[in-house]
Each structure stands twice: as C-alpha cells, then as structure tokens.
Amino acid sequence: MGSFLFILEAAELNGRILGFDIEFLMELGIQWLNTLILTLFLAKFLYKPIKTFMVKRAERISKQLNAAGDAERNALSMKADYDVKLRDIEQERVSVLHAANLQAKEKMEQIITEARREADKIRARMRKDIEMEQERAKADMKRELIDLSFLLAGRFTTASLDRQAQDTLIAETISELGDIKWLT
Amino acid sequence: MDFTNHRIWPLFTIKGHTVYITESIFATWIIMAVLFIFTIAARYKINSFKERPAAGSIQNLLELAVESMHNMAESNLGKRLSWLGGYFFGVFAFILACNYSSLFKLRPPTTDFATTLALALNTFFLIHVLGLVYRKGEYLKDYFKPIFVFLPTNIIGELSRPVSLSFRLFGNILGGFIMLELLYASLPAVFRIAIPDIFHFYEDIFIGALQAFIFCVLSMTFIKEKASEEEA
Amino acid sequence: MDSVLAMSALAAGIAVLTAAGAGIGQGFATGKAVEAIARQPEARGSIMSTLLIGAAVAETTAIYGFVIALLLLFVNPLIK
C-alpha cells in the first residue's frame, strides 16, 4: 500500500495521465492548435498537389485514349476508302484489259488483211515480172538462133566443101550452140 | 514503472495551476517537424513525378495513400463532401505518426487526452457546422425526432460523440503503451531485446493503424449522417 | 484514506471487467463475419471494413471501463 501511495505522489509531482482542470484546458488549446496547423498543412501541401497531379494525369491519359480512338476510327475509314478504291481499280483494270484485247485483235486482223493484200500484190507483180522475163528470154533465143543461122551460113560459105571439115564444123557449131543454149 | 505524462518546461501560471510543456506536447512538435520536412521534400519532388512511378518508390507510396484516402472519403462521405478528404488525410497521417512514434521511444501524443479531444472536437465542429451549412432547417429538425420529447436525449447523444471518439483513441493507445511499459519493467534486461517487439508489432503497428483508420471512418460517418441530404 | 484507496483499487479491477462484454460481442461479430466471408468470399473487403468499424464501436464500452479504472487509480477524485 505504501508503494501505491508513492506512485500516486510521484505522479502528482512528475506528471499525470489524466486530469480535468485549467492545466488540461491549456494543454487542449495547445494541442488543438498543433493538430489544426499540422492537418491543414498536410491537406494543403501534400494531399492537394498530389491529387491535382493524379487528376491531371488521369485527364491526360483519357485524352490520349480519346485521340488514339479517333486515330483508329480515321484509319478504319481510310482503309474502307482504300478498299473501295482498290475494288474500283480492279474493275477498271479488267475493263481496260478487255478493251485493249479487243483493240489488239482488231488491229491484228487489220494487219493480217493488209499483209495478205500486200502479198497478193507482190505475187502478182512477180508473176508479171516472170512472164516478162520469159518473153524476153524467148526473144533473146530467137535472136540467137538468127545469129547462129547467120553464122552457120557464113561458115558454110567460107569453109571448104570438105565433108570432114563440114562435119567438124557442124559439131563445133552444135557444141557452141549447146554452150550458148546452156548458157541461156 | 512510470507511465505518466511528464512535465518538461513550465510555461505560465493561471489560478494556482502551472501550465507545462508536457512530454506529449514535445513529442507532437517532433512529429510535426518530421511531417513538415517530409511534406516539403515531397512538395519539391512532385515536380519531378513521373507518369508511371517505379514500384516501391516514394511517389508510389504517396499516390497509394492519397488515392485510398480519396476513395475512403468518396465512399464514406459522398461526392459532395469528398473535399474533406484532405483534412482527413492530415488527421490520418498525424494519428498514424503519433501511434508509431512509440517505436522510437517517444511518448505517443495520442496517449494524452488533450490531443485526442482536440481531434474529436474538430470532428464535432465539422459535424455541426457542415450540418447547418448543408441542410439548414432539416438539420435542426433532426433534434426533434421522433417527437420533441427526445430533444435532451438527442443533444446528449450528439455530445457523447466526441467523447466516445476521443476516449476510444486515447484508451486504446494508452492501454497498449501501459502494457508495453509494464512488460519492459517486468522483463529482465537480457530479454528486453526481442520479446517486446512482438507486442510492439501488435500494439503499435496493428492497433495504431487500425485506430487511425477507425477514427477517420467514424468521423466521416458522423459527418455524413448530419450533413448529407441523402439520408437523415 | 487507506480504505478508500483499497476500495478504489478493487473498483478499478471491477471496472476493467467491462472488457468481458466487449470481448464476447467482438467474438460474435467476428464469427458472423467469418461465416459471411465463407458464404461470399468476393465480398471480403467490405465485410472486413464493416467488421472493423463494428468491433471498434463495440470496444467503446471496454475502453470506458478502462478509462474509469485509470481515473480511479491515477486521478482519484475520492481522496482529494
């Protein structure tokens, strides 16, 4: 019991755990100021800036997301446009090809007919040329024959009537004639 | 075995009572200084905050704290009153720092009834001022529910709120503090190294965080009850 | 004087007995919360926070008893 009393007295001297008097009221005032200053300071200089930072970041991110969505939509519409264009181009290609084919065929036929005509023309001319040549050859031959007969006649008259000579002469002439004929 | 709130420095005397700077007021100032320095450091660091904080960084921790407090304020106070989140962030940080200060052999300021009563009185003023501002006549009508005979009961009920809030915090922390002091006094010096840590873990870290959380949540609930129009 | 102090010490002990009621209440609350979590594990978060608040409120009476005991031991208005 004595020690218990001692504790009580020591508590009175050194300090206390709980008490309701003017001293407590003053302590309450001091602590009220302390806590108020601290809490308001923390709210103003720690909570608020971080929160505004986070809100701004969230806004920025949502803006970026929106921008990305817009870009995607744009890209999709562009792709659709391109698809349509590509289909158009395919059709055009086919039609152009078809037209070119037709044109080429037409041209080819034209060329073929022209070539045929040309060939006919050339053939006709050639035939005419050949005929002319034949006629000329006939005329040459006639002239040669006349020349030959003249020559023969000349020889007959100039040479002796030697039978042997006559034979050799004739053979000579004939061989010359053959030569000539062969040459022609 | 002395767990009284020591008087350190006499200030002045009123009507035979000398007012002292006590141990808990001194501890409050130390905690305030630490939190001020931390806040200023964080305030300067906020300019270099990154878009995506690294795991375990200070920024991550601060963002977690701010976001959880914001969510807590929105769910317990409603959208309209969620601007009070900043105040409760400060209250939570202060109570948590107080409760953890006993790990550094300070006397937790929350073992001083003056501190907890000051916090509870702030809540009390917030309840009634916000009730008057936001609900005006409806707020006054609440005192006559269900019939006017219950007026004294309602008033006593309102007055008991700061008392219960402050005594809850004070009693929990002081109880833990006294138990630890008793433990330290009763253990031989050899065993004072590791064994009290288990009790420190429970009494200071677990109960400290829990009581800080509960103080904030109950304050918010009381404020919403009086100041929010959604429910009388 | 001594007898007043002795009775105060006894009264402090009795006042702390209020903790029994709070303990029983918190035990019930926790048991129900565990049942609720077992039934609906996805609602764990909200059940836990509700339990904590409820337990804190239930604890109030025990804290009142504890404060009364402290008053009787250290402030004792009866011996002044």
Side-chain angles (χ1 to χ4, degrees):
Chain A
M1 198 48 78
S3 66
F4 187 57
L5 266 176
F6 171 74
I7 288 169
L8 273 183
E9 277 166 10
E12 275 307 308
L13 283 177
N14 268 332
R16 55 188 190 167
I17 284 183
L18 197 56
F20 299 102
D21 49 19
I22 288 172
E23 195 185 335
F24 173 75
L25 267 183
M26 291 297 133
E27 277 176 23
L28 178 64
I30 293 169
Q31 287 298 66
W32 184 67
L33 272 179
N34 281 346
T35 53
L36 208 61
I37 289 168
L38 183 61
T39 50
L40 294 183
F41 185 85
L42 284 175
K44 182 111 179 61
F45 292 102
L46 195 59
Y47 182 81
K48 219 172 156 194
I50 292 174
K51 212 181 135 194
T52 50
F53 167 79
M54 285 165 80
V55 166
K56 265 185 198 160
R57 186 177 58 186
E59 273 174 8
R60 208 158 51 224
I61 286 170
S62 72
K63 214 185 281 172
Q64 274 172 3
L65 273 178
N66 280 345
D70 284 353
E72 198 186 351
R73 256 195 302 286
N74 273 346
L76 278 178
S77 69
M78 235 158 154
K79 191 172 171 279
D81 280 4
Y82 272 117
D83 279 352
V84 169
K85 264 182 197 163
L86 272 178
R87 216 176 309 130
D88 286 0
I89 283 171
E90 182 72 24
Q91 259 170 3
E92 210 176 311
R93 190 181 73 94
V94 166
S95 66
V96 162
L97 212 64
H98 193 69
N101 246 347
L102 276 181
Q103 218 170 352
K105 224 175 260 177
E106 213 170 281
K107 203 146 197 174
M108 191 181 77
E109 268 163 22
Q110 204 180 337
I111 285 169
I112 285 172
T113 49
E114 241 166 54
R116 207 165 279 161
R117 213 180 305 147
E118 194 89 346
D120 282 354
K121 224 187 267 174
I122 287 169
R123 213 180 297 158
R125 207 166 49 209
M126 289 295 263
R127 205 170 288 153
K128 215 185 274 169
D129 276 4
I130 288 167
E131 276 168 13
M132 267 162 73
E133 197 77 11
Q134 269 175 350
E135 259 160 48
R136 206 188 301 152
K138 267 180 197 164
D140 276 359
M141 216 159 24
K142 268 179 194 163
R143 213 168 40 238
E144 294 265 332
L145 265 177
I146 289 166
D147 283 353
L148 189 70
S149 42
F150 268 118
L151 192 70
L152 259 179
R155 290 260 177 110
F156 273 128
T157 48
T158 54
S160 61
L161 290 172
D162 190 326
R163 176 84 185 173
Q164 237 173 338
Q166 197 179 348
D167 282 348
T168 52
L169 207 80
I170 287 168
E172 222 171 85
T173 317
I174 283 168
S175 69
E176 262 175 44
L177 189 72
D179 280 355
I180 291 161
K181 221 184 179 170
W182 190 78
L183 275 170
T184 53
Chain B
M1 204 173 67
D2 178 19
F3 27 75
T4 53
N5 194 2
H6 294 284
R7 294 165 167 136
I8 298 175
W9 191 260
L11 280 180
F12 50 86
T13 309
I14 301 180
K15 293 181 186 169
H17 289 277
T18 313
V19 178
Y20 296 88
I21 297 298
T22 60
E23 214 179 337
S24 65
I25 292 175
F26 186 68
T28 310
W29 286 342
I30 291 175
I31 287 163
M32 280 171 81
V34 169
L35 285 179
F36 277 153
I37 290 165
F38 179 76
T39 304
I40 290 164
R43 186 75 190 80
Y44 274 108
K45 242 190 148 183
I46 208 169
N47 294 326
S48 62
F49 268 16
K50 289 186 275 297
E51 199 87 344
R52 296 180 66 181
S57 64
I58 287 283
Q59 185 194 349
N60 211 340
L61 190 79
L62 284 173
E63 278 185 17
L64 177 73
V66 168
E67 193 166 3
S68 359
M69 180 49 75
H70 179 73
N71 291 341
M72 208 164 110
E74 273 204 343
S75 65
N76 287 315
L77 284 168
K79 269 247 182 309
R80 202 172 164 203
L81 285 165
S82 66
W83 56 269
L84 276 172
Y87 169 73
F88 282 109
F89 179 78
V91 170
F92 187 87
F94 175 61
I95 298 176
L96 199 69
C98 286
N99 296 349
Y100 283 7
S101 68
S102 73
L103 295 173
F104 302 99
K105 277 290 152 207
L106 282 173
R107 185 190 169 86
T110 33
T111 59
D112 186 359
F113 188 57
T115 317
T116 60
L117 188 61
L119 288 168
L121 282 180
N122 283 343
T123 301
F124 182 75
F125 288 132
L126 277 177
I127 292 171
H128 296 288
V129 170
L130 289 178
L132 266 177
V133 167
Y134 279 97
R135 284 176 64 219
K136 303 184 175 79
E138 287 292 312
Y139 164 77
L140 293 174
K141 263 186 212 162
D142 268 2
Y143 286 97
F144 299 100
K145 279 178 182 175
I147 46 168
F148 70 95
V149 187
F150 285 93
L151 176 64
T153 329
N154 282 332
I155 289 174
I156 290 170
E158 287 305 318
L159 287 177
S160 79
R161 275 178 180 172
V163 175
S164 86
L165 262 182
S166 55
F167 269 127
R168 181 178 301 117
L169 184 55
F170 167 72
N172 268 293
I173 307 303
L174 183 65
F177 178 73
I178 288 176
M179 271 172 64
L180 276 169
E181 288 289 309
L182 287 173
L183 189 72
Y184 274 114
S186 62
L187 280 176
V190 191
F191 296 119
R192 283 182 200 163
I193 297 168
I195 294 170
D197 289 355
I198 304 160
F199 293 88
H200 266 303
F201 187 80
Y202 177 72
E203 296 290 351
D204 294 339
I205 294 177
F206 177 65
I207 294 284
L210 188 65
Q211 289 304 319
F213 173 73
I214 279 165
F215 188 91
C216 289
V217 168
L218 283 181
S219 298
M220 285 175 182
T221 314
F222 290 157
I223 289 172
K224 190 188 181 186
E225 202 178 303
K226 279 287 170 202
S228 178
E229 281 167 345
E230 287 150 31
E231 198 193 36
Chain C
M1 187 71 176
D2 272 4
S3 64
V4 170
L5 270 178
M7 294 310 269
S8 297
L10 268 178
I14 293 166
V16 168
L17 282 183
T18 48
I24 292 168
Q26 286 185 357
F28 268 122
T30 312
K32 291 284 178 195
V34 169
E35 271 177 27
I37 290 175
R39 209 175 297 133
Q40 247 185 320
E42 66 273 14
R44 195 190 138 89
S46 58
I47 290 171
M48 279 298 280
S49 59
T50 314
L51 169 69
L52 285 179
I53 295 168
V57 174
E59 206 180 35
T60 312
T61 51
I63 295 298
Y64 286 163
F66 173 70
V67 171
I68 299 286
L70 281 181
L71 284 174
L72 284 171
L73 283 180
F74 295 106
V75 187
N76 210 335
L78 304 175
I79 56 170
K80 269 175 194 160

